[in-house]
Amino acid sequence: MTGVMTSRAQTPPAWFTELFAHRRWIRRTGPFPHIYARDIFVADFYQRLVDDYARVRAERIDRFHRVTGHGDATALGLSELRDGPLALFATREWHDLIAGVTGVAATGDIDGSVRHHAPGSPAGTPDNGLAPVLFAEPPPGPAEVRLPGEAGTRETVRAVAVLFHLGNPDWRTGDGGEITLRADSGGDSTAPALTIPPLDNSMVIFECTPRSWHHFAGGNTADRGSVVMWLHRPRHEAESRWGAGRLDQR
């Protein structure tokens, strides 16, 4: 489904800023630059997100589709989540917040989904996120966002990845289901990797580059829920920065 969502505000309105717990968002340099944050939202709104996730899973389970290469995850696209708290992740306010903290001049195009990993899910395939995505014309205006649709002809490339964890209560070390970050695709490399636990109301954000390799670690002992989404840049900008041949080496 193609869709443009609009907002009159280009600076964060009060309703938006009041959702946040105003904790520190930490910038890390290794194994590649990323931002990590805990306690993103105030408790009341976070619980609304969890309840909405549970509602969607109960009412629309038939709409969840398999995500190839990501630990047998099932997902429901953000374009289908416009009638509840989870719609926040497809707003211009959220888009501009993420673009601002990463310093990326994103296009206003958003792709993403809520995801579910059943207990015992396998590890995913390492992926650097540099994937072309088609969106419909025209590009979104400064107060709009656009989600992917069937008639997309405007080519973009994923620019920023966001992984937000929810619905994973009482997670402890050994429970599995982490996200692993590394600066290469794995294999026989001895390069260090960082494992990020799926703690509720936490998030990791990073620019998609040829070095931003990441994957679902698998082995989760309980259900795992998350929101996974991307901001985008025009393809010609990505080609200018990294070369056309680097955009399909995922």
Side-chain angles (χ1 to χ4, degrees):
M1 177 170 63
T2 302
V4 174
M5 301 177 67
T6 65
S7 170
R8 292 177 297 172
Q10 296 188 42
T11 57
W15 70 261
F16 182 72
T17 58
E18 289 171 358
L19 301 179
F20 294 87
H22 302 295
R23 308 290 184 179
R24 283 196 310 162
W25 293 21
I26 302 170
R27 295 182 183 273
R28 297 169 168 171
T29 58
F32 55 80
H34 65 279
I35 296 169
Y36 179 70
R38 296 274 305 277
D39 300 320
I40 306 297
F41 299 109
V42 296
D44 176 69
F45 184 69
Y46 172 71
Q47 187 58 51
R48 290 173 59 197
L49 290 172
V50 172
D51 293 345
D52 199 27
Y53 176 76
R55 176 188 65 83
V56 168
R57 289 277 303 155
E59 297 177 0
R60 309 185 71 179
I61 189 64
D62 59 317
R63 299 289 295 169
F64 277 69
H65 62 275
R66 187 74 58 185
V67 185
T68 304
H70 292 271
D72 286 346
T74 58
L76 182 67
L78 293 179
S79 61
E80 300 194 46
L81 300 170
R82 302 192 183 187
D83 59 350
L86 287 167
L88 174 77
F89 296 103
T91 63
R92 186 71 193 207
E93 288 82 4
W94 179 258
H95 171 281
D96 289 352
L97 172 66
I98 300 303
V101 298
T102 57
V104 171
T107 60
D109 301 296
I110 292 175
D111 186 19
S113 61
V114 293
R115 293 193 181 183
H116 173 260
H117 283 90
S121 293
T125 303
D127 184 347
N128 64 16
L130 279 176
V133 181
L134 294 176
F135 290 90
E137 296 284 3
E144 301 173 335
V145 297
R146 189 178 292 278
L147 288 85
E150 296 177 0
T153 58
R154 180 171 49 88
E155 192 167 22
T156 70
V157 174
R158 289 174 177 170
V160 179
V162 181
L163 297 92
F164 174 75
H165 296 110
L166 80 168
N168 308 298
D170 304 319
W171 187 91
R172 296 289 185 272
T173 300
D175 289 347
E178 301 94 335
I179 295 296
T180 298
L181 308 183
R182 59 187 312 139
D184 61 23
S185 59
D188 296 327
S189 174
T190 59
L194 177 66
T195 299
I196 297 180
L199 299 175
D200 278 346
N201 205 9
S202 71
M203 180 168 64
V204 60
I205 307 168
F206 52 86
E207 186 176 5
C208 297
T209 76
R211 296 181 62 245
S212 59
W213 294 95
H214 59 284
H215 70 277
F216 176 65
N220 47 309
T221 59
D223 293 288
R224 188 202 135 182
S226 61
V227 176
V228 179
M229 60 172 292
W230 298 270
L231 276 54
H232 299 77
R233 55 168 44 99
R235 178 162 185 135
H236 69 85
E237 291 185 6
E239 289 182 350
S240 175
R241 186 170 178 182
W242 295 299
R246 304 296 293 274
L247 304 185
D248 300 306
Q249 297 177 0
R250 303 177 58 222

